[in-house]
Structure formats: C-alpha cells, structure tokens
Amino acid sequence: MKKLSVQDVDLQGRRVLMRVDFNVPMSSAGGITDDTRIRASLSTIEFIRARGGQPILMSHLGRPKGKRVPSMSLRPVADRLAELSSTPVRFAVDCVGEEARMALEALHPGESGRLENLRSHAGETANDPEFARELAQWGEIYVNDAFGTAHRAHASTVGVTEYFDLRVSGLLMDKELENLGSLLADPARPFVAILGGAKVSTKIGVISNLLDRVDSILIGGGMAFTFFAVHGLEIGASMVERDHMDTVRELLQKAKSSRTELLLPQDVVVSSTFGEDGETREVLVTDIPEGWQGLDIGPRTTRLFSDTIAGARTIFWNGPMGVFEMPTFARGTRAIARAMARATDQGARSIVGGGDSVAAINQMELADRISHVSTGGGASLEFLAGKSLPGVEALSDVSSTPV
Ligand code: AMP
C-alpha cells in the first residue's frame, strides 16, 4: 500500500514531529566523526520549513538503555545541525516532561526544535504507550524520515503514530522506499544481487526472497564457506555456521528450482592467521590448506563477479566480499565497488544496502556513481526479505486519508 508523503500534506502553520536518524558515530572525545546523516536530514527539514511548518526533531543516539548518559547526548548533533541549516535550532534537554515542554513553548516561528536522545527513556524501545503519548503532544503532523529504524516497533516509530491523523514519510524515507521498492516491483533485467558479509544466518531471508526475483546471485564473504561446507569441501579454519547448513541446502535447492544462477567463489585468498601478519595465498576453493582461513575472494572470482555485474541492468549489493577492514583482504570488496560504479556509468541501476558495503563505497569515494546508497542496513535487508517494516506500516495509506 502506498504511503502518504510529507510532499502530499499541507504543512502551513503546523508543528511537525519528525523522527530522524541522528545516530551518528561519535569519537571518545564527544565529537561527531561523520555528519552524513545530519546532512542527509536537511532536505526534509528545509522542505517542511519552506512549506511553513515547524520541525520538532527526535532521534536516538547509541544505546543509553533508558538512562541519561552524557556521552550519548544529542546536543553536539543539535549544534552541528544549527551550523548546517539556515535557521536556529532550540535544543530541549529531554524529549518528554517539563524541560521539553518549556523549550518547545519558547520556540519562535522559524526555529526548529530538537529533542534529547529518545533512548534515555526505557519507554522508547519498549514502545510504551504512555511515553508515545507524551511524545505525540509535540506535533500536529507526524513525519518519519528514519528509514534505518523503520524495522523496529518503538515508541517514536510506531506507538506515537496512534495519536496522529496525518502520519507521513519524509523525503529520505520516500527515496528509500522508492529505490528498494523498485527492486521488488519491476527491475530491469538482468538483475544481479551480490551478497557477502560474515554470516549467512543474518541474510537467509533476503537470499531466499531475492532468489525468486533475480537472474543471478553472487555469494562472497565469510558466508560463502557455509555453502562450501554443504558441498563437502575442506574449508580449513574459515568462518562457518554448521547449524545453518540445512537452510543453505534449502537455498541451493530453491535456486535450482527457480533456475536462478547462484555463483559461489571459485578461488579465495587464504591466510595462516586472522590478521595481516600471517602468510597469505590465493587458492582454488578445492585447495584450502588445513588450518588456514579464507578472508577474501580470489582474482578469478573477482573477474567472474565483475563480468556478471558488467552485464547487469539492475544490481543490488550488501556485504563485503572479505575482511575489507584489513587492506590485505579488501581487494575483492573494492573490485565489486568499482564494478558497480562502472556498470552504473553504463546505465545500470545500482543500489547498495547499508552497513559495510556502504562504508566501502564511501571509502572509495564512489557514492556519486551509485544510483542509491541506502542508509538502513537492517531495514533494507528486512524490506528486501519481503517483510513489512512496522515504522512504514504505521504511516497513513495514500487512499484512506483526507489531506
Ligand atoms: P555483515 O555485517 O554480515 O555484512 O558482515 C560484515 C563483516 O563480515 C565485516 O566486518 C567483514 O570483516 C566480515 N567478513 C567478510 N568476509 C569474511 C571472511 N571471509 N571471514 C571472516 N569475516 C568476514
């Protein structure tokens, strides 16, 4: 069901309670080390202001577990937001209660309100109705622009929506739903998915759902070794999830019956230790030495995967091909990132889904050569696994709502 967007409603003179994702990385000294998420939120904030609305922003930061933790205060974020946006931001030192009320009552027209960390109250993650009701008093319209938390039913993403007639998506949320939705709706073919990362257990849903929809699925990273174990290969000391071998068998069966090409690595980079100080070798997957561990895809696989990506018209990627945090094992991941950028230059639509693959794209400064870089790792995987996201479900349907 299509959801109502902030673009569809009259905002003039209205207070707009907006869930944003300001869960930014902070240094131990309390500085923001990456303000991408704050910058990304500006489009919706400025949109609301340009349409005569007054944004009241709420977010979580880290996991303070229901307590006020000074190192997880959103004050530095409010300061950074004030620097980046054209208008003043008034910071409330709590998100509910008297302090919040006083700060918001003192708001001048044209100012934005910024509430303190939602998770400093246990009611947020517990989706407590009373906490949700308290939050709801701060606005007349509810906007959710935090795609990355939409898969969690928390007070600020689900509970609070009960109290609003107009519950709409923000511009970032719109972009995520449109881009990820296009993968499931009507992707141009060939459609190729590349999945990597540590564990197959965290990606079973997405692999299973995509198997019915893609033309090829390329598996790399640590999770490939559970597939090899199913094939009876000797995998040395490589990462493996033996308790998920039956599920992997089912996935292989599903690939066969849906005639989807499922490509596994043909060669890997193995190391005598988990780290960069060991001995490394490039070997065929049939020749992994005893006690050694596979930490990246090998050159033959890199070529095979890159060629498959070059022939695709729609590409989705989640999860590194190896332990890319260590330069010795980053070659496969970096090559996939480059192959995606090249394919996009040639007209393919490319989507990178959250987490480490986004970090790789950013490290390589390739983000502007990718069609869409998703901000929500877990949320994008659940969406592509075909699950409904509670934070999206809770928004008003286009058809049922008077605007
Ligand atoms: P995920 O969060 O599941 O996407 O996993 C990302 C993590 O997988 C990264 O920290 C990588 O270092 C790790 N990873 C990728 N390939 C391997 C591998 N072959 N062995 C161990 N860890 C891996």
mmCIF file of all heavy atoms in Angstrom, residues 196-200 202-203 220-225 238-239 269 274 293-297 318-326 333 354-357 381, ligand 1:
data_model
loop_
_atom_site.group_PDB
_atom_site.id
_atom_site.type_symbol
_atom_site.label_atom_id
_atom_site.label_comp_id
_atom_site.label_asym_id
_atom_site.label_seq_id
_atom_site.Cartn_x
_atom_site.Cartn_y
_atom_site.Cartn_z
ATOM 1 N N GLY A 196 27.350 -10.578 0.633
ATOM 2 C CA GLY A 196 28.544 -11.024 1.340
ATOM 3 C C GLY A 196 28.380 -10.736 2.815
ATOM 4 O O GLY A 196 27.274 -10.633 3.326
ATOM 5 N N GLY A 197 29.511 -10.588 3.487
ATOM 6 C CA GLY A 197 29.469 -10.335 4.926
ATOM 7 C C GLY A 197 29.782 -11.594 5.698
ATOM 8 O O GLY A 197 30.079 -12.638 5.124
ATOM 9 N N ALA A 198 29.690 -11.460 7.008
ATOM 10 C CA ALA A 198 30.189 -12.528 7.863
ATOM 11 C C ALA A 198 29.306 -13.764 7.830
ATOM 12 O O ALA A 198 29.750 -14.864 7.523
ATOM 13 C CB ALA A 198 30.336 -11.999 9.283
ATOM 14 N N LYS A 199 28.037 -13.578 8.150
ATOM 15 C CA LYS A 199 27.218 -14.747 8.443
ATOM 16 C C LYS A 199 26.051 -14.919 7.488
ATOM 17 O O LYS A 199 25.326 -13.968 7.218
ATOM 18 C CB LYS A 199 26.655 -14.609 9.861
ATOM 19 C CG LYS A 199 27.732 -14.675 10.905
ATOM 20 C CD LYS A 199 27.140 -14.591 12.275
ATOM 21 C CE LYS A 199 28.220 -14.844 13.315
ATOM 22 N NZ LYS A 199 27.697 -14.687 14.654
ATOM 23 N N VAL A 200 25.845 -16.135 7.053
ATOM 24 C CA VAL A 200 24.709 -16.413 6.185
ATOM 25 C C VAL A 200 23.412 -16.310 6.995
ATOM 26 O O VAL A 200 22.363 -15.933 6.469
ATOM 27 C CB VAL A 200 24.858 -17.787 5.493
ATOM 28 C CG1 VAL A 200 24.738 -18.936 6.475
ATOM 29 C CG2 VAL A 200 23.852 -17.949 4.373
ATOM 30 N N THR A 202 22.290 -14.183 8.986
ATOM 31 C CA THR A 202 21.646 -12.868 9.024
ATOM 32 C C THR A 202 21.049 -12.485 7.665
ATOM 33 O O THR A 202 20.378 -11.475 7.553
ATOM 34 C CB THR A 202 22.652 -11.767 9.431
ATOM 35 O OG1 THR A 202 23.729 -11.788 8.494
ATOM 36 C CG2 THR A 202 23.192 -11.994 10.831
ATOM 37 N N LYS A 203 21.321 -13.288 6.632
ATOM 38 C CA LYS A 203 20.890 -12.898 5.278
ATOM 39 C C LYS A 203 20.031 -13.954 4.596
ATOM 40 O O LYS A 203 19.740 -13.853 3.411
ATOM 41 C CB LYS A 203 22.126 -12.584 4.421
ATOM 42 C CG LYS A 203 23.096 -11.678 5.162
ATOM 43 C CD LYS A 203 23.664 -10.528 4.408
ATOM 44 C CE LYS A 203 24.351 -9.574 5.380
ATOM 45 N NZ LYS A 203 25.591 -9.012 4.943
ATOM 46 N N GLY A 220 29.634 -13.993 -1.634
ATOM 47 C CA GLY A 220 31.045 -13.859 -1.231
ATOM 48 C C GLY A 220 31.121 -13.702 0.275
ATOM 49 O O GLY A 220 30.143 -13.925 0.993
ATOM 50 N N GLY A 221 32.295 -13.299 0.757
ATOM 51 C CA GLY A 221 32.457 -13.060 2.197
ATOM 52 C C GLY A 221 32.500 -14.347 3.000
ATOM 53 O O GLY A 221 32.523 -15.458 2.454
ATOM 54 N N GLY A 222 32.453 -14.180 4.319
ATOM 55 C CA GLY A 222 32.542 -15.331 5.213
ATOM 56 C C GLY A 222 31.431 -16.334 4.979
ATOM 57 O O GLY A 222 31.612 -17.539 5.144
ATOM 58 N N MET A 223 30.256 -15.844 4.556
ATOM 59 C CA MET A 223 29.123 -16.763 4.456
ATOM 60 C C MET A 223 29.269 -17.781 3.329
ATOM 61 O O MET A 223 28.613 -18.828 3.342
ATOM 62 C CB MET A 223 27.818 -15.989 4.332
ATOM 63 C CG MET A 223 27.615 -15.247 3.074
ATOM 64 S SD MET A 223 26.022 -14.431 3.310
ATOM 65 C CE MET A 223 25.801 -13.702 1.735
ATOM 66 N N ALA A 224 30.163 -17.509 2.378
ATOM 67 C CA ALA A 224 30.349 -18.469 1.284
ATOM 68 C C ALA A 224 30.842 -19.819 1.822
ATOM 69 O O ALA A 224 30.568 -20.871 1.243
ATOM 70 C CB ALA A 224 31.354 -17.913 0.275
ATOM 71 N N PHE A 225 31.556 -19.776 2.958
ATOM 72 C CA PHE A 225 32.173 -21.016 3.449
ATOM 73 C C PHE A 225 31.149 -22.021 3.980
ATOM 74 O O PHE A 225 31.398 -23.223 3.947
ATOM 75 C CB PHE A 225 33.274 -20.698 4.471
ATOM 76 C CG PHE A 225 34.398 -19.940 3.812
ATOM 77 C CD1 PHE A 225 34.396 -18.546 3.784
ATOM 78 C CD2 PHE A 225 35.416 -20.612 3.151
ATOM 79 C CE1 PHE A 225 35.397 -17.842 3.133
ATOM 80 C CE2 PHE A 225 36.419 -19.916 2.497
ATOM 81 C CZ PHE A 225 36.409 -18.527 2.485
ATOM 82 N N SER A 238 38.250 -21.546 8.138
ATOM 83 C CA SER A 238 37.397 -20.438 7.700
ATOM 84 C C SER A 238 36.123 -20.377 8.524
ATOM 85 O O SER A 238 35.693 -21.381 9.109
ATOM 86 C CB SER A 238 36.992 -20.634 6.229
ATOM 87 O OG SER A 238 38.131 -20.815 5.432
ATOM 88 N N MET A 239 35.525 -19.183 8.516
ATOM 89 C CA MET A 239 34.264 -18.989 9.229
ATOM 90 C C MET A 239 33.188 -19.920 8.663
ATOM 91 O O MET A 239 33.070 -20.084 7.454
ATOM 92 C CB MET A 239 33.876 -17.537 8.994
ATOM 93 C CG MET A 239 32.464 -17.205 9.246
ATOM 94 S SD MET A 239 32.274 -15.423 9.113
ATOM 95 C CE MET A 239 32.919 -14.937 10.678
ATOM 96 N N VAL A 269 41.366 -15.916 -1.138
ATOM 97 C CA VAL A 269 42.641 -15.562 -0.523
ATOM 98 C C VAL A 269 42.617 -16.161 0.878
ATOM 99 O O VAL A 269 41.707 -15.861 1.662
ATOM 100 C CB VAL A 269 42.814 -14.027 -0.436
ATOM 101 C CG1 VAL A 269 44.141 -13.664 0.243
ATOM 102 C CG2 VAL A 269 42.728 -13.397 -1.820
ATOM 103 N N PHE A 274 44.150 -15.024 11.397
ATOM 104 C CA PHE A 274 43.172 -13.964 11.162
ATOM 105 C C PHE A 274 43.875 -12.642 11.461
ATOM 106 O O PHE A 274 43.969 -12.207 12.600
ATOM 107 C CB PHE A 274 41.947 -14.135 12.066
ATOM 108 C CG PHE A 274 40.875 -13.124 11.766
ATOM 109 C CD1 PHE A 274 39.963 -13.348 10.750
ATOM 110 C CD2 PHE A 274 40.799 -11.935 12.487
ATOM 111 C CE1 PHE A 274 38.984 -12.413 10.456
ATOM 112 C CE2 PHE A 274 39.819 -10.997 12.202
ATOM 113 C CZ PHE A 274 38.915 -11.241 11.188
ATOM 114 N N GLN A 293 42.543 -19.901 6.829
ATOM 115 C CA GLN A 293 41.183 -19.377 6.694
ATOM 116 C C GLN A 293 41.036 -18.446 5.494
ATOM 117 O O GLN A 293 41.936 -17.667 5.172
ATOM 118 C CB GLN A 293 40.735 -18.683 7.965
ATOM 119 C CG GLN A 293 41.747 -17.789 8.616
ATOM 120 C CD GLN A 293 41.292 -17.418 10.024
ATOM 121 O OE1 GLN A 293 40.195 -16.925 10.219
ATOM 122 N NE2 GLN A 293 42.148 -17.661 10.996
ATOM 123 N N GLY A 294 39.887 -18.567 4.828
ATOM 124 C CA GLY A 294 39.598 -17.745 3.658
ATOM 125 C C GLY A 294 39.100 -16.380 4.103
ATOM 126 O O GLY A 294 38.122 -16.289 4.841
ATOM 127 N N LEU A 295 39.804 -15.328 3.646
ATOM 128 C CA LEU A 295 39.445 -13.989 4.129
ATOM 129 C C LEU A 295 39.090 -13.021 3.001
ATOM 130 O O LEU A 295 38.780 -11.849 3.252
ATOM 131 C CB LEU A 295 40.575 -13.419 5.000
ATOM 132 C CG LEU A 295 40.873 -14.222 6.292
ATOM 133 C CD1 LEU A 295 42.029 -13.592 7.073
ATOM 134 C CD2 LEU A 295 39.645 -14.335 7.191
ATOM 135 N N ASP A 296 39.151 -13.484 1.749
ATOM 136 C CA ASP A 296 38.711 -12.621 0.629
ATOM 137 C C ASP A 296 38.437 -13.530 -0.565
ATOM 138 O O ASP A 296 38.892 -14.684 -0.591
ATOM 139 C CB ASP A 296 39.820 -11.608 0.274
ATOM 140 C CG ASP A 296 39.316 -10.449 -0.602
ATOM 141 O OD1 ASP A 296 38.076 -10.362 -0.825
ATOM 142 O OD2 ASP A 296 40.144 -9.648 -1.049
ATOM 143 N N ILE A 297 37.704 -13.007 -1.556
ATOM 144 C CA ILE A 297 37.563 -13.762 -2.796
ATOM 145 C C ILE A 297 38.862 -13.608 -3.593
ATOM 146 O O ILE A 297 39.577 -12.613 -3.439
ATOM 147 C CB ILE A 297 36.333 -13.292 -3.631
ATOM 148 C CG1 ILE A 297 36.372 -11.785 -3.901
ATOM 149 C CG2 ILE A 297 35.028 -13.676 -2.928
ATOM 150 C CD1 ILE A 297 35.267 -11.290 -4.861
ATOM 151 N N ASN A 318 24.899 -6.088 -0.909
ATOM 152 C CA ASN A 318 25.006 -5.958 0.551
ATOM 153 C C ASN A 318 26.074 -6.921 1.069
ATOM 154 O O ASN A 318 25.994 -8.122 0.812
ATOM 155 C CB ASN A 318 23.660 -6.278 1.226
ATOM 156 C CG ASN A 318 23.794 -6.272 2.738
ATOM 157 O OD1 ASN A 318 24.382 -7.184 3.316
ATOM 158 N ND2 ASN A 318 23.278 -5.258 3.379
ATOM 159 N N GLY A 319 27.019 -6.372 1.789
ATOM 160 C CA GLY A 319 28.001 -7.211 2.489
ATOM 161 C C GLY A 319 29.319 -7.338 1.758
ATOM 162 O O GLY A 319 29.344 -7.641 0.563
ATOM 163 N N PRO A 320 30.435 -7.123 2.486
ATOM 164 C CA PRO A 320 31.760 -7.182 1.856
ATOM 165 C C PRO A 320 32.138 -8.597 1.416
ATOM 166 O O PRO A 320 31.635 -9.584 1.944
ATOM 167 C CB PRO A 320 32.688 -6.688 2.965
ATOM 168 C CG PRO A 320 31.963 -6.954 4.237
ATOM 169 C CD PRO A 320 30.496 -6.822 3.926
ATOM 170 N N MET A 321 33.051 -8.658 0.434
ATOM 171 C CA MET A 321 33.498 -9.953 -0.112
ATOM 172 C C MET A 321 34.577 -10.598 0.745
ATOM 173 O O MET A 321 34.956 -11.750 0.529
ATOM 174 C CB MET A 321 34.055 -9.745 -1.529
ATOM 175 C CG MET A 321 33.035 -9.257 -2.536
ATOM 176 S SD MET A 321 31.791 -10.530 -2.897
ATOM 177 C CE MET A 321 30.432 -9.976 -1.912
ATOM 178 N N GLY A 322 35.098 -9.809 1.702
ATOM 179 C CA GLY A 322 36.145 -10.327 2.574
ATOM 180 C C GLY A 322 36.301 -9.412 3.772
ATOM 181 O O GLY A 322 35.473 -8.523 3.994
ATOM 182 N N VAL A 323 37.365 -9.647 4.522
ATOM 183 C CA VAL A 323 37.608 -8.816 5.707
ATOM 184 C C VAL A 323 38.229 -7.498 5.220
ATOM 185 O O VAL A 323 39.429 -7.272 5.320
ATOM 186 C CB VAL A 323 38.508 -9.559 6.710
ATOM 187 C CG1 VAL A 323 38.705 -8.761 7.988
ATOM 188 C CG2 VAL A 323 37.879 -10.905 7.070
ATOM 189 N N PHE A 324 37.357 -6.655 4.669
ATOM 190 C CA PHE A 324 37.843 -5.478 3.937
ATOM 191 C C PHE A 324 38.431 -4.416 4.857
ATOM 192 O O PHE A 324 39.089 -3.489 4.407
ATOM 193 C CB PHE A 324 36.718 -4.884 3.084
ATOM 194 C CG PHE A 324 35.789 -4.003 3.873
ATOM 195 C CD1 PHE A 324 35.763 -2.629 3.662
ATOM 196 C CD2 PHE A 324 34.960 -4.540 4.824
ATOM 197 C CE1 PHE A 324 34.930 -1.815 4.401
ATOM 198 C CE2 PHE A 324 34.115 -3.729 5.567
ATOM 199 C CZ PHE A 324 34.106 -2.372 5.361
ATOM 200 N N GLU A 325 38.193 -4.564 6.183
ATOM 201 C CA GLU A 325 38.791 -3.602 7.118
ATOM 202 C C GLU A 325 40.318 -3.723 7.081
ATOM 203 O O GLU A 325 41.021 -2.795 7.449
ATOM 204 C CB GLU A 325 38.313 -3.879 8.553
ATOM 205 C CG GLU A 325 36.805 -3.726 8.778
ATOM 206 C CD GLU A 325 36.030 -5.033 8.592
ATOM 207 O OE1 GLU A 325 36.496 -5.911 7.822
ATOM 208 O OE2 GLU A 325 34.958 -5.176 9.189
ATOM 209 N N MET A 326 40.824 -4.896 6.660
ATOM 210 C CA MET A 326 42.278 -5.087 6.552
ATOM 211 C C MET A 326 42.634 -4.990 5.062
ATOM 212 O O MET A 326 42.131 -5.774 4.252
ATOM 213 C CB MET A 326 42.670 -6.480 7.073
ATOM 214 C CG MET A 326 42.262 -6.732 8.515
ATOM 215 S SD MET A 326 42.716 -8.416 8.985
ATOM 216 C CE MET A 326 41.777 -8.609 10.494
ATOM 217 N N THR A 333 36.354 -6.783 -2.282
ATOM 218 C CA THR A 333 35.283 -5.826 -1.982
ATOM 219 C C THR A 333 35.454 -4.561 -2.824
ATOM 220 O O THR A 333 34.493 -4.033 -3.397
ATOM 221 C CB THR A 333 35.314 -5.479 -0.472
ATOM 222 O OG1 THR A 333 35.144 -6.698 0.254
ATOM 223 C CG2 THR A 333 34.225 -4.499 -0.102
ATOM 224 N N GLY A 354 23.252 -0.537 2.822
ATOM 225 C CA GLY A 354 23.629 -0.377 4.223
ATOM 226 C C GLY A 354 24.925 -1.017 4.686
ATOM 227 O O GLY A 354 25.558 -1.815 3.973
ATOM 228 N N GLY A 355 25.340 -0.618 5.879
ATOM 229 C CA GLY A 355 26.435 -1.263 6.596
ATOM 230 C C GLY A 355 27.787 -1.158 5.922
ATOM 231 O O GLY A 355 28.174 -0.108 5.412
ATOM 232 N N ASP A 356 28.496 -2.289 5.923
ATOM 233 C CA ASP A 356 29.883 -2.279 5.489
ATOM 234 C C ASP A 356 30.065 -2.015 4.003
ATOM 235 O O ASP A 356 31.085 -1.466 3.592
ATOM 236 C CB ASP A 356 30.522 -3.629 5.831
ATOM 237 C CG ASP A 356 30.791 -3.737 7.323
ATOM 238 O OD1 ASP A 356 31.252 -2.741 7.904
ATOM 239 O OD2 ASP A 356 30.527 -4.805 7.898
ATOM 240 N N SER A 357 29.090 -2.408 3.184
ATOM 241 C CA SER A 357 29.272 -2.144 1.748
ATOM 242 C C SER A 357 29.188 -0.643 1.488
ATOM 243 O O SER A 357 29.880 -0.103 0.617
ATOM 244 C CB SER A 357 28.238 -2.869 0.886
ATOM 245 O OG SER A 357 27.440 -3.711 1.631
ATOM 246 N N LEU A 381 17.543 -4.869 4.493
ATOM 247 C CA LEU A 381 17.529 -6.334 4.349
ATOM 248 C C LEU A 381 16.149 -6.902 4.665
ATOM 249 O O LEU A 381 15.666 -7.798 3.973
ATOM 250 C CB LEU A 381 18.585 -6.976 5.248
ATOM 251 C CG LEU A 381 20.038 -6.767 4.819
ATOM 252 C CD1 LEU A 381 20.982 -7.490 5.752
ATOM 253 C CD2 LEU A 381 20.266 -7.241 3.386
HETATM 254 P P1 AMP B 1 27.882 -8.286 7.800
HETATM 255 O O1 AMP B 1 27.642 -7.301 8.906
HETATM 256 O O2 AMP B 1 27.218 -9.591 7.992
HETATM 257 O O3 AMP B 1 27.647 -7.686 6.430
HETATM 258 O O4 AMP B 1 29.406 -8.649 7.898
HETATM 259 C C1 AMP B 1 30.437 -7.726 7.725
HETATM 260 C C2 AMP B 1 31.697 -8.307 8.278
HETATM 261 O O5 AMP B 1 31.999 -9.523 7.627
HETATM 262 C C3 AMP B 1 32.904 -7.435 8.087
HETATM 263 O O6 AMP B 1 33.342 -6.970 9.328
HETATM 264 C C4 AMP B 1 33.935 -8.362 7.459
HETATM 265 O O7 AMP B 1 35.221 -8.242 8.030
HETATM 266 C C5 AMP B 1 33.369 -9.729 7.732
HETATM 267 N N1 AMP B 1 33.830 -10.736 6.776
HETATM 268 C C6 AMP B 1 33.718 -10.708 5.448
HETATM 269 N N2 AMP B 1 34.291 -11.785 4.889
HETATM 270 C C7 AMP B 1 34.780 -12.534 5.896
HETATM 271 C C8 AMP B 1 35.517 -13.757 5.950
HETATM 272 N N3 AMP B 1 35.822 -14.436 4.842
HETATM 273 N N4 AMP B 1 35.860 -14.221 7.168
HETATM 274 C C9 AMP B 1 35.540 -13.546 8.285
HETATM 275 N N5 AMP B 1 34.864 -12.367 8.282
HETATM 276 C C10 AMP B 1 34.490 -11.877 7.114
#
